[in-house]
C-alpha cells in the first residue's frame, strides 16, 4: 500500500495519541467512586469504560500500524 508520507505520519501520530491518552483516562475512571459498588464489584459504569478504552486502543494500534505500513509500502 502506498500513501503520501504526510498521511502516513498523521496516522502514526493519531495512533500513538490514542495509545497515550486512553490509559490515563482509564486510570481516572477506575478511581471514580461510580466504578465500584458498595461491595467492591465493578459497576456498569466501569465495564462500559473498560470496553470503550479497549476498543479505542485497538483502533489506535491499527491506525498506527496502517501508517507505518503506508510509509514502508
Amino acid at each position: 500500500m502506498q500513501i503520501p508520507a504526510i498521511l502516513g505520519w498523521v496516522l502514526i501520530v493519531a495512533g500513538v495519541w490514542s495509545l497515550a491518552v486512553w490509559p490515563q483516562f482509564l486510570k481516572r475512571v477506575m478511581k471514580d467512586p461510580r466504578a465500584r459498588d458498595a461491595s467492591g464489584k465493578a459497576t456498569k459504569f466501569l465495564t462500559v469504560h473498560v470496553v470503550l478504552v479497549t476498543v479505542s486502543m485497538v483502533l489506535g494500534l491499527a491506525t498506527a500500524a496502517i501508517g507505518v505500513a503506508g510509509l514502508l509500502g
Side-chain angles (χ1 to χ4, degrees):
M1 163 175 60
Q2 187 72 23
I3 61 173
I6 188 70
L7 294 181
W9 282 109
V10 167
L11 291 172
I12 292 168
V13 169
V16 169
W17 175 262
S18 288
L19 294 173
V21 170
W22 285 107
Q24 301 306 314
F25 175 76
L26 184 58
K27 285 180 187 178
R28 288 193 306 274
V29 167
M30 293 184 78
K31 291 179 185 176
D32 192 298
R34 297 171 289 178
R36 305 264 176 203
D37 63 15
S39 63
K41 289 180 62 176
T43 62
K44 289 181 182 179
F45 173 85
L46 179 58
T47 303
V48 165
H49 283 87
V50 167
V51 170
L52 171 69
V53 169
T54 302
V55 170
S56 296
M57 289 188 65
V58 168
L59 290 174
L61 184 60
T63 301
I66 292 167
V68 169
L71 289 177
L72 298 178

